Amino acid sequence: MSYKKELLNMSRRLDQVQKKENPPKLSMVVADASKGETLPEVEDRSPWSLYLQIDEKPKDWAK
């Protein structure tokens, strides 16, 4: 096996061990436009979070 493949396999194993020892924190962020809330900027977002944007109801919703 080449050194590159061995290094890649070791890197993957290390990632798996790190996730088991220190698992990522999963979260859900909800921003309601009717309350004036906004989602954080893309640079500030975590890859382990779910981001939901709730739009305002249309003006003619009840008709």
Side-chain angles (χ1 to χ4, degrees), residues 20-56:
K20 285 182 183 177
E21 294 297 319
N22 189 15
K25 294 181 181 175
L26 304 177
S27 65
M28 182 171 65
V29 179
V30 179
D32 192 352
S34 63
K35 295 179 183 176
E37 299 171 346
T38 59
L39 291 173
E41 295 296 322
V42 175
E43 296 85 21
D44 300 333
R45 294 183 185 183
S46 167
W48 299 103
S49 297
L50 173 66
Y51 295 92
L52 299 175
Q53 175 72 36
I54 300 174
D55 296 329
E56 291 185 44

